Amino acid sequence: MKTRCLRHPGLGAVTVLAVTALSACGGSGADSGAGTNRAPVVGVDYPRSDTDFWTSYIKYTPAFAKELGLRLETTNSQNDIGNLAANVQTFIIHGVKGVAMAPQSTGAIGPVLRQLSAQKIPVVTLDTRPDTGQVYMIVRADNRAYGEKACRFLGTKLGGEGKVVVLEGDLASINARDRTEGFNGCMKENYPKIKVFGEATNWDGAVAARKLQTDLTANPDVKGIYLQASSMLSGTLQVLRQQGLLVGPQDERHVFVVSNDGIPRELKAIAQGKIDATVSQPADLYAKYALSYLKAAIEGKTFKPGRTDHASTIIRVRDGVLEDQLSAPLVTAHGGTYGGVPSLKSDDMSLWGNSR
């Protein structure tokens, strides 16, 4: 089957195809190309390609897409809302039947969603939840739970006392807000003797490293760090090394580090004792179910809140907007339970980071 992709100056061409069927709650078929030799075309905008997590998502997409027989036109908005708006215009001109996107600025995407709605083009957002606007489905994990799992792990390891640094993402993104609120709320309720230093980083590893170095210099007794994204991992390890703190968990100087994403580099760092845990954000399932729901939208299927056939839960986030919250397990060196939160071992082959 042939595929199509958009080509933009300075951007690589990426081709994509689709996924496994979902159990829907009903609906009749729409214009999905049935009875013709041409599969429906959908647009997929990649939010960025400068992190291990997003390059993994981009690599997963073609294999899953092929299973549904979708043809794709793809763009890369490079973490810029203006680029995303322009890319959506291109999709509309090319007559796509649906659009999947991961807007990183969740407060600014409303006008783009309204335009697609006016054109009757269904939208699936993945990873992020738009602050306003209508979409067919949101595919993400429970980001508040990310923060809560990191809190439970660090709270347990620190024995409920001490100091931790949280390297936050971009607070213009609901993901960073959810992770921050989940972590801080859990700490306040369960570990009130732990002092939290929150540092906004805009998902920038260099900014995170500078702020972490300042915090460790002023507070040499910091014993925990929570990275809200794996893009901050290299800088964090470099700062710990410079401070003489990059030592194994059996050393009293060890600073417990929880990261977020579940990329292969994090899993390796856990096995090596350089960091202690991560929350595995499902890059593979984002690719799979974003395209699955686009296929369902084209076929006119509908969904309702409740458990799915793929071990997740659909929730209603506001009138007319549903979110499929996929599983995102805590990962540690030895498995076990921390503050009531179970974890998988870093070498568990069910983790996408171990099966690329």
Side-chain angles (χ1 to χ4, degrees):
M1 178 170 292
K2 295 181 179 179
T3 63
R4 300 165 62 191
C5 62
L6 299 183
R7 298 175 183 268
H8 291 282
L11 295 179
V14 185
T15 60
V16 196
L17 297 192
V19 256
T20 59
L22 298 169
S23 61
C25 302
S28 59
D31 179 15
S32 60
T36 73
N37 293 325
R38 295 181 63 81
V41 180
V42 298
V44 175
D45 182 81
Y46 299 132
R48 57 198 303 170
S49 54
D50 59 346
T51 70
D52 290 349
F53 179 82
W54 285 113
T55 55
S56 295
Y57 163 73
I58 291 170
K59 289 177 181 178
Y60 273 116
T61 305
F64 287 125
K66 187 175 182 180
E67 295 179 27
L68 283 182
L70 296 176
R71 292 180 300 142
L72 280 109
E73 297 193 351
T74 64
T75 57
N76 189 325
S77 53
Q78 299 178 312
N79 203 29
D80 185 282
I81 189 66
N83 289 342
L84 178 53
N87 292 343
V88 165
Q89 287 292 330
T90 303
F91 288 149
I92 292 173
I93 291 171
H94 282 242
V96 300
K97 299 297 184 182
V99 174
M101 63 173 73
Q104 301 299 284
S105 180
T106 56
I109 194 62
V112 175
L113 295 178
R114 287 194 291 273
Q115 183 179 27
L116 287 165
S117 178
Q119 296 290 327
K120 301 188 184 307
I121 298 174
V123 176
V124 172
T125 66
L126 59 119
D127 178 57
T128 61
R129 178 197 300 160
D131 294 352
T132 61
Q134 295 299 304
V135 297
Y136 178 80
M137 184 66 74
I138 299 163
V139 176
R140 66 196 288 256
D142 183 348
N143 279 244
R144 287 188 67 89
Y146 290 1
E148 292 168 3
K149 290 173 183 179
C151 161
R152 291 289 188 173
F153 180 84
L154 290 176
T156 299
K157 286 296 186 179
L158 271 62
E161 297 183 3
K163 298 177 181 179
V164 300
V165 175
V166 180
L167 298 176
E168 303 164 345
D170 182 355
L171 296 180
S173 163
I174 192 170
N175 286 356
R177 297 197 300 270
D178 277 357
R179 294 172 198 181
T180 299
E181 290 169 5
F183 186 90
N184 290 346
C186 169
M187 279 292 178
K188 182 177 181 180
E189 180 178 354
N190 299 287
Y191 310 104
K193 293 183 180 180
I194 293 180
K195 182 174 179 57
V196 178
F197 299 93
E199 300 289 3
T201 71
N202 196 33
W203 309 118
D204 188 311
V207 172
R210 287 197 301 271
K211 292 189 174 184
L212 176 61
Q213 187 167 33
T214 298
D215 283 330
L216 291 178
T217 299
N219 300 276
D221 54 345
V222 163
K223 283 297 182 180
I225 303 171
Y226 171 36
L227 320 179
Q228 290 190 358
S230 58
S231 57
M232 307 174 197
L233 179 61
S234 294
T236 295
L237 294 180
Q238 182 178 2
V239 170
L240 291 175
R241 185 179 294 109
Q242 291 171 346
Q243 298 278 346
L245 300 174
L246 191 60
V247 294
Q250 303 306 319
D251 192 306
E252 64 180 11
R253 294 172 296 162
H254 182 74
V255 177
F256 292 96
V257 178
V258 182
S259 190
N260 198 110
D261 281 339
I263 63 173
R265 195 154 50 95
E266 287 175 306
L267 302 183
K268 183 178 179 181
I270 292 172
Q272 294 172 336
K274 294 180 179 178
I275 68 173
D276 303 275
T278 188
V279 179
S280 181
Q281 183 170 217
D284 55 341
L285 300 185
Y286 282 177
K288 179 175 183 176
Y289 289 108
L291 292 171
S292 290
Y293 281 116
L294 278 187
K295 176 77 169 182
I298 292 169
E299 293 175 345
K301 296 179 180 178
T302 59
F303 298 85
K304 62 183 180 182
R307 293 291 291 173
T308 71
D309 60 357
H310 49 273
S312 66
T313 301
I314 295 176
I315 66 169
R316 187 182 308 278
V317 295
R318 56 179 179 268
D319 287 346
V321 178
L322 300 177
E323 176 174 304
D324 188 354
Q325 294 192 331
L326 305 175
S327 174
L330 178 68
V331 181
T332 62
H334 306 294
T337 299
Y338 301 87
V341 177
S343 69
L344 296 178
K345 292 181 64 174
S346 61
D347 61 357
D348 191 308
M349 292 308 297
S350 69
L351 297 168
W352 69 267
N354 285 327
S355 59
R356 292 176 58 191

